[in-house]
Amino acid sequence: MILLKIGVWLIVFILLFPASALAEEMKRDDLLKERLSYYSLYQHQTVPWYYLAAVDQFERNIQPVRSDLQKKEGPLSLTIPDEKWFGPLHPDPSNLSPYFISFFGGIGLDANGDGKADPNDPEDIFGSMADFIQQFDSFEQAMTYYYERKESIRQVMTISEIYQHFNSLDLYQHVFPLAKNYEYSYRSTWGDKRGWGGRRMHEGTDLFAGYGTPVLATTYGKIEELGWNDYGGWRVGLRDIHNVYHYYAHLSGFEKGLKKGNYVKPGDRLGYVGSSGYGKEGTSGKFPPHMHYGLYMENGRTQWAFDPYPSLKVWEKNDQP
């Protein structure tokens, strides 16, 4: 079990800190330029680059945390399953004829004109995905047909919207979630017992600070939740491009103008440390002021919590006051 937890954390670490994992092979700028070159090659009016980037990023997110998926090597991760590429009734996957693939209802195309619809050729893959998306009235409709699972569709849509809003692939910066010019303290509280509302484990890290200490967005993302819940009090939920949900709880209030659906960048103010929660709306003062910070990973099948403490230590060190 301990080895399993370590393995999961290493996978998530690579997702959250890709520059360190790829530094030996390629600088981040070169990597992102290469990715964008493929997205741009097959983008057009109805299929902008950020649609293709979102599907590719979603696949990059889930492959390392799914035992049934092969982790694709190289700068691109999009893999179209055989049953979609060739069609469910195609008798011979070694036959890469675009004609036969089309005849059996596959979506695989010969996008680069070499006479083969090769499911391992990046140009054919992205050309086929662009053509597939174009056949639908909207990107969401295409993703609904392709992924079927509601949460996976929502993840891809969110990634696409974040890319579109910031008009960049370089969205890897992270910062510490509390303003560094305020007093604060924290330690690893992952797995501690909690009693209010029934016996449960603590899925996060508590960062203690005075009332009103600014709470900051740790990453580029989209606000998915904003408001009250009985456990977390006034809370904010933020989703990033890595399928990771960032959960901030026990706030005393929100930044003026912050709304569900807003896009934020690292360092944007979300709210303020408080002691809300453990009761009906408005309950406060049942514990010392602090901010609960949690991280949840989505793998295309389910979502689970993982310990944010190692990430916080890295972001605290790298983030200058």
Side-chain angles (χ1 to χ4, degrees):
M1 181 62 71
I2 293 176
L3 290 176
L4 177 61
K5 289 182 178 179
I6 293 174
V8 169
W9 164 245
L10 288 174
I11 289 170
V12 174
F13 187 88
I14 291 172
L15 288 172
L16 292 178
F17 308 103
S20 60
L22 295 172
E24 294 181 1
E25 299 181 11
M26 189 179 299
K27 292 181 180 180
R28 179 189 293 169
D29 287 349
D30 293 336
L31 175 70
L32 297 182
K33 285 177 183 177
E34 183 173 358
R35 286 177 185 166
L36 186 59
S37 69
Y38 281 99
Y39 307 151
S40 300
L41 182 62
Y42 293 103
Q43 72 167 347
H44 45 75
Q45 187 173 4
T46 59
V47 185
W49 68 268
Y50 44 84
Y51 286 0
L52 300 175
V55 182
D56 189 40
Q57 183 63 42
F58 179 76
E59 295 289 329
R60 183 173 300 108
N61 295 339
I62 66 175
Q63 287 173 10
V65 290
R66 286 267 297 272
S67 60
D68 61 319
L69 298 176
Q70 182 178 359
K71 188 178 184 303
K72 201 165 186 178
E73 300 298 330
L76 303 166
S77 296
L78 177 58
T79 301
I80 299 177
D82 283 354
E83 62 270 19
K84 287 185 169 64
W85 185 270
F86 293 100
L89 300 179
H90 196 294
D92 182 12
S94 65
N95 185 339
L96 303 183
S97 165
Y99 171 79
F100 281 106
I101 290 175
S102 176
F103 180 82
F104 286 102
I107 69 173
L109 298 176
D110 172 22
N112 58 8
D114 66 357
K116 299 181 293 183
D118 187 348
N120 296 309
D121 187 315
E123 292 187 6
D124 287 352
I125 292 172
F126 283 95
S128 298
M129 179 56 70
D131 184 80
F132 171 77
I133 295 171
Q134 188 180 21
Q135 297 175 38
F136 294 85
D137 293 333
S138 68
F139 181 51
E140 184 173 10
Q141 187 181 79
M143 294 298 96
T144 299
Y145 185 89
Y146 190 81
Y147 284 110
E148 299 179 356
R149 179 174 175 266
K150 183 178 180 180
E151 187 56 40
S152 296
I153 299 161
R154 185 163 70 102
Q155 294 281 340
V156 177
M157 295 299 297
T158 295
I159 296 170
S160 171
E161 292 163 6
I162 295 172
Y163 279 143
Q164 179 185 10
H165 180 82
F166 291 105
N167 194 33
S168 174
L169 289 175
D170 193 3
L171 305 179
Y172 294 99
Q173 180 189 4
H174 290 83
V175 301
F176 196 67
L178 294 181
K180 298 288 288 296
N181 56 336
Y182 286 72
E183 293 291 330
Y184 65 85
S185 66
Y186 70 105
R187 61 178 180 84
S188 178
T189 53
W190 176 262
D192 288 357
K193 293 181 179 179
R194 290 293 184 268
W196 190 88
R199 295 185 67 86
R200 53 197 171 88
M201 66 168 278
H202 190 240
E203 294 183 344
T205 297
D206 288 336
L207 297 98
F208 290 86
Y211 284 104
T213 299
V215 172
L216 310 177
T218 54
T219 183
Y220 292 92
K222 179 182 179 181
I223 302 297
E224 279 192 359
E225 298 293 342
L226 183 74
W228 181 271
N229 71 33
D230 290 346
Y231 291 95
W234 300 116
R235 57 69 162 99
V236 178
L238 168 65
R239 184 79 61 177
D240 67 18
I241 64 167
H242 304 291
N243 295 16
V244 176
Y245 181 74
H246 303 246
Y247 175 68
Y248 306 76
H250 306 315
L251 307 185
S252 61
F254 306 118
E255 178 68 2
K256 184 178 180 181
L258 191 70
K259 297 182 296 185
K260 188 175 178 178
N262 283 171
Y263 301 96
V264 296
K265 63 183 183 299
D268 281 354
R269 191 171 293 190
L270 303 179
Y272 306 89
V273 169
S275 60
S276 62
Y278 284 17
K280 63 182 181 179
E281 185 169 331
T283 302
S284 185
K286 289 195 170 185
F287 39 75
H290 70 278
M291 190 268 291
H292 169 95
Y293 181 70
L295 291 173
Y296 296 80
M297 180 68 189
E298 162 71 36
N299 70 355
R301 284 183 171 176
T302 187
Q303 179 172 270
W304 73 93
F306 63 95
D307 188 358
Y309 183 76
S311 297
L312 290 169
K313 297 300 288 185
V314 172
W315 299 338
E316 182 184 32
K317 179 181 179 181
N318 293 341
D319 181 22
Q320 298 301 315

